[in-house]
Amino acid sequence: MPEAEGRAAEERAEERAGFAPGVPFALLPFALVSSGETLVGKGCLGLVAEGGEPLGARVRAHLAASAAAQGAAPASPVSGISASGISAPGISAPGISAPSAAGPDMVVGALPYERGAPAHLFQPAELSRSAGRACFAAAFPPPALVRPEPLSPACMRIAAEPPLAAYRAAVAEALARMQASEGAPVGEALRKIVLSRSLRLSSDRPIDASALLRALARDAGVTAFCVPLPPAGPPLAPQMPARALVGATPELLVARQGRAVTSHPLAGSARRWREASADRAAAQALLASDKDRREHGEVVTAILDQLAPHCVALGTPEGTGLTATASMWHLGTRICGRLRRPDLSAIDLAMLLHPTPAVCGTPRAAAARAIAELEGYDRGFYSGAVGWCDGAGDGAWHVALRCAEVAGREARLYAGAGIVPGSDPVSEGEETSAKFAAMLQALGIDEDGRPLTEDGA
């Protein structure tokens, strides 16, 4: 075991070396894109170090060391509106900010699904931030004189991992485990297990991650994201493809602005329909579904319980309602609070809450063990979190859903569903297919790799 851990550490060090400042490797920009705010980070001034200290402490140490090396106090956060949508002193009127010559007082990146796995956080060399999508269009311009269209490579092959039949069998096994654990001690009886599946895609030409992000960002109900990742190979290897996590998430894990904290968990989902009456019926059926409300309640209760000791005020002002993306309906509950301590940063809060029952299950430890045994693959950054944290502790972290890891001609797509007593294996498989739809449509194919027709069928 120590030998295996040593090899893994060496591999991570090689990957990080390929991402470090000064390496001639073409990084895609980091981006969070939504109708409310867009943040784009270019380049890399430095990676947040791995180590035994909590991640929040390492982020603070990195930013403090960066400021000291530049011979200046930490800069103010870049101007613009906050990702939480909460105005606060020190945040200027919305507009595109100029990159700081001394380097932004901020780290960006991704947290993995597994709590013990290394995070990928770095300080960008330049940062732009705007209300709406203004700085996104500048950083990811479409091809000149060509209207952006869904990607349509001549040939794309898809392999389901696991196959749909195997996924349904895993759901059935999860249900059996929950039933068998009903008499277990408190903290061990399984109430929810989130199971995912993946699609591995191979194209006959490089997959354009920027075009994919542009397509995903058209959905006003999501936060589209792009996180450049270390290349999967030795540093400076010839023709090493750029690697990125690209997706479109509807779910806010946590945002902090001053002492204001916000979370907007989603759980319980239904496919949307083109015909208006069928779409309304699907939404109302979701609202009335006891199974979906129980699934959603597990997430909201867990987040409230974890935040409560750290807040002087905490609540769900609007209660549970519907949240829509272009392809899915979700049950959502906005949680708002005020922190007791000003030193609890956005990254501290993200590490406190992650993984929520929306991506893992209840209770967390027992559900995580079941997932490891039933899924059969490493999730990596899927169902982790993507976001940012600045030197003041403010920031926003979004659950990494509806995403793909893209590298050259390869991509791996992910989707999952929450399993609770009363779940049906066939229906849960159909839910994952519906959640793949946004990414597949952006790629211009269906789940079997066939090109989409003009009507999307």
Side-chain angles (χ1 to χ4, degrees):
M1 184 67 72
E3 182 179 345
E5 291 176 352
R7 285 197 301 271
E10 289 176 1
E11 290 172 359
R12 290 199 302 273
E14 287 185 352
E15 287 184 348
R16 288 168 64 85
F19 195 90
V23 173
F25 177 74
L27 293 177
L28 287 164
F30 170 91
L32 290 175
V33 187
S34 72
S35 298
E37 182 189 46
T38 294
L39 186 150
V40 175
K42 296 182 178 180
C44 174
L45 287 181
L47 289 152
V48 175
E50 296 184 20
E53 291 292 314
L55 183 58
R58 285 183 276 135
V59 167
R60 287 186 284 273
H62 176 93
L63 291 175
S66 175
Q70 293 163 9
S76 299
V78 176
S79 63
I81 61 171
S82 70
S84 62
I86 303 169
S87 61
I91 301 294
S92 70
I96 300 180
S97 59
S100 168
D105 184 35
M106 181 183 291
V107 298
V108 300
L111 308 178
Y113 160 69
E114 289 191 16
R115 289 176 64 86
H120 174 59
L121 302 179
F122 61 98
Q123 184 180 12
E126 300 178 5
L127 188 71
S128 298
R129 194 171 177 184
S130 68
R133 301 165 185 257
C135 67
F136 170 64
F140 294 87
L145 304 179
V146 178
R147 187 179 67 179
E149 297 290 346
L151 304 181
S152 300
C155 180
M156 282 195 176
R157 298 181 302 278
I158 290 182
E161 298 180 355
L164 183 56
Y167 178 79
R168 291 170 177 166
V171 172
E173 174 61 21
L175 290 167
R177 292 190 183 198
M178 282 186 273
Q179 184 175 13
S181 73
E182 286 179 355
V186 176
E188 289 296 321
L190 286 162
R191 302 191 300 276
K192 178 179 180 180
I193 303 171
V194 180
L195 291 179
S196 70
R197 65 187 184 99
S198 74
L199 301 176
R200 190 176 290 277
L201 184 150
S202 299
S203 173
D204 67 343
R205 65 192 67 175
I207 298 169
D208 187 339
S210 296
L212 179 58
L213 181 66
R214 288 195 299 271
L216 294 170
R218 296 174 198 164
D219 186 345
V222 304
T223 295
F225 59 88
C226 176
V227 182
L229 299 175
L236 308 182
Q239 298 181 338
M240 189 163 46
R243 180 167 162 251
L245 186 72
V246 181
T249 177
E251 186 167 2
L252 175 66
L253 175 63
V254 68
R256 198 207 88 158
Q257 181 68 45
R259 293 203 182 191
V261 60
T262 308
S263 179
H264 194 181
L266 307 180
S269 306
R271 182 196 293 264
R272 298 200 65 181
W273 298 91
R274 291 189 177 186
E275 205 280 315
S277 61
D279 194 46
R280 287 194 299 271
Q284 293 306 310
L286 178 61
L287 270 177
S289 168
D290 174 70
K291 175 260 180 188
D292 288 291
R293 282 192 168 270
R294 282 188 288 112
E295 179 186 341
H296 184 75
E298 292 286 351
V299 185
V300 175
T301 298
I303 292 177
L304 288 170
D305 287 349
Q306 288 169 318
L307 287 178
H310 305 283
C311 291
V312 295
L314 186 66
T316 57
E318 296 99 14
T320 298
L322 288 169
T323 296
T325 70
S327 58
M328 298 294 296
W329 288 107
H330 300 283
L331 294 179
T333 302
R334 191 168 70 94
I335 297 171
C336 301
R338 184 166 180 79
L339 295 171
R340 295 182 186 276
R341 294 166 38 203
D343 61 336
L344 200 61
S345 72
I347 193 72
D348 294 324
L349 292 166
M351 295 303 293
L352 171 71
L353 298 180
H354 174 70
T356 74
V359 297
C360 181
T362 314
R364 179 191 280 174
R369 288 194 296 271
I371 289 168
E373 294 167 1
L374 295 174
E375 280 191 345
Y377 65 87
D378 181 0
R379 290 187 181 184
F381 291 104
Y382 163 68
S383 71
V386 295
W388 60 277
C389 184
D390 67 22
D394 293 337
W397 293 90
H398 303 262
V399 184
L401 303 174
R402 319 293 152 77
C403 61
E405 184 179 309
V406 180
R409 300 184 180 193
E410 306 289 327
R412 188 165 187 171
L413 287 61
Y414 301 89
I419 315 304
V420 296
S423 292
D424 171 64
V426 172
S427 297
E428 301 302 337
E430 291 173 348
E431 180 176 323
T432 59
S433 291
K435 289 175 177 176
F436 279 129
M439 183 68 69
L440 291 171
Q441 287 173 6
L443 289 162
I445 56 175
D446 65 15
E447 196 169 329
D448 295 316
R450 296 184 296 251
L452 294 177
T453 59
E454 287 188 3
D455 63 0

